[in-house]
Amino acid sequence: PDTGRIVLGTDVVTDTDTGARVPPHARGVASLTQDALLFPHLDAEANVGFAPRSRGVGRRDARTIARRWLAAVDASDLAHRRPAQLSGGQAQRIAIARALAAEPRVLLLDEPMAALDIDTAPGLRRLLRIVLREQRRTAVLVTHDMLDALAVADTVVVVESGRIVERGATADVLTSPRSAFAAKIAGVNLLSGRSRGAGTLITHWGTTVFGHGEGTASGDAVAVFAPSSVAVHLEPPRASPRNIFQVTIAAMDAQGAHIRVRGAPNPDGSPGPAADVTPAAVTELGLDPGRVVYFVVKSQEVAIHSAVR
């Protein structure tokens, strides 16, 4: 960096004021990206053994370390294959083993699952979680995929436009987001406004939302509810839950076994609400983009929280 100070534990890695600069191989930091970046002329065992060899470990001991880490990532049978003979998932397993064989104090993970197919990624997430916990490694994971965060992270920091907007335990942030950006990542609906007591929120465009939560007597707040908790009606129900929103369908797309029906943006420009319905309901109700419908949500399904500042 041009200016700044980087500290790992009590060790200063970089300090531009004092001129301190620990060389990369001595920092105790390893990285893993969505590209495995294996050395093409080395087989898997030699790739993993490169890290301890770089630390000055002898060839025989490095080979032992490499075999141990290949076993840890369930890749012992790939030891003598070169990168060109590996699938994307297999190459990432080797890359994980190589990164961990360096015995890093900090492991930097930059979208490591982004290039993997849907069948390979879940297994690697579980594997990485197990290895990090059993080896008590510290990792910083950059991801836009909520599944990565849920599978690997203990703490989540949400960064929007270069600014931290939320931070906390993974389950808290992803189940009760307080910013539109975090809500988008978590796949939940979020309406912003002002609280009117613990169970009421008035949106910025004047809609009253009823729910439950910590809301203050008056203050910026958000109402959060899952798309799965939303029922879709063609007419506003009379004797029904308290939250009824008139919505113009903007888009519809498949989400696993359900169809996610997305509403047009809210009057303040924020993302419109979404509902998850079955394909049968789409046919029965005749849902199509452009159609006006009513989203109905029970108040007990809506959590109201103070907004991020």
Side-chain angles (χ1 to χ4, degrees):
D2 294 323
T3 60
R5 188 169 185 265
I6 302 172
V7 180
L8 296 182
T10 58
D11 297 334
V12 178
V13 174
T14 299
D15 191 333
T16 56
D17 288 339
T18 64
R21 181 181 179 278
V22 176
H25 68 273
R27 293 174 187 166
V29 177
S31 64
L32 179 65
T33 69
Q34 59 184 287
D35 298 317
L37 299 177
L38 300 176
F39 299 117
H41 63 292
L42 300 178
D43 63 18
E45 183 177 283
N47 263 281
V48 178
F50 177 84
R53 288 287 288 160
S54 297
R55 297 198 314 270
V57 175
R59 191 180 303 275
R60 179 179 298 178
D61 289 340
R63 187 179 298 116
T64 299
I65 293 171
R67 289 173 178 171
R68 175 164 57 86
W69 281 111
L70 286 171
V73 300
D74 194 24
S76 296
D77 59 323
L78 305 175
H80 300 300
R81 293 191 193 180
R82 292 196 175 186
Q85 300 171 301
L86 301 172
S87 68
Q90 290 171 336
Q92 279 297 77
R93 285 178 178 270
I94 305 306
I96 290 173
R98 183 175 63 176
L100 292 170
E103 299 186 356
R105 298 168 64 185
V106 176
L107 180 61
L108 305 179
L109 305 167
D110 186 5
E111 301 279 7
M113 312 298 174
L116 301 181
D117 59 58
I118 58 175
D119 294 324
T120 303
L124 278 178
R125 288 190 188 100
R126 290 192 298 270
L127 173 65
L128 193 56
R129 175 74 168 184
I130 292 170
V131 171
L132 288 173
R133 286 202 163 188
E134 289 184 350
Q135 299 296 324
R136 301 186 63 81
R137 302 292 180 187
T138 296
V140 178
L141 167 67
V142 177
T143 184
H144 289 82
D145 191 326
M146 182 180 69
L147 293 178
D148 289 348
L150 288 171
V152 178
D154 299 307
T155 301
V156 168
V157 178
V158 181
V159 180
E160 180 179 11
S161 300
R163 184 175 70 93
I164 294 176
V165 295
E166 292 193 58
R167 69 188 308 160
T170 302
D172 293 342
V173 172
L174 296 182
T175 58
S176 302
R178 298 166 187 255
S179 68
F181 189 65
K184 181 178 179 180
I185 295 173
V188 298
N189 293 306
L190 182 144
L191 302 176
S192 301
R194 302 277 294 179
S195 65
R196 292 292 183 269
T200 307
L201 176 141
I202 308 297
T203 67
H204 297 310
W205 54 94
T207 297
T208 300
V209 182
F210 300 98
H212 63 89
E214 63 184 50
T216 59
S218 179
D220 293 334
V222 294
V224 179
F225 53 97
S228 59
S229 68
V230 181
V232 180
H233 295 255
L234 299 181
E235 300 291 338
R238 297 179 181 177
S240 189
R242 302 172 77 182
N243 295 304
I244 302 174
F245 309 115
Q246 181 176 302
V247 173
T248 299
I249 299 175
M252 299 167 55
D253 50 74
Q255 296 278 330
H258 294 84
I259 303 298
R260 179 154 296 180
V261 181
R262 303 180 186 275
N266 295 317
D268 67 347
S270 61
D276 286 345
V277 299
T278 64
V282 171
T283 301
E284 180 182 344
L285 296 173
L287 302 182
D288 282 304
R291 181 158 195 175
V292 175
V293 295
Y294 295 87
F295 282 4
V296 180
V297 191
K298 295 180 180 179
S299 57
Q300 59 262 39
E301 299 287 350
V302 180
I304 296 177
H305 308 283
S306 57
V308 295
R309 292 176 173 81

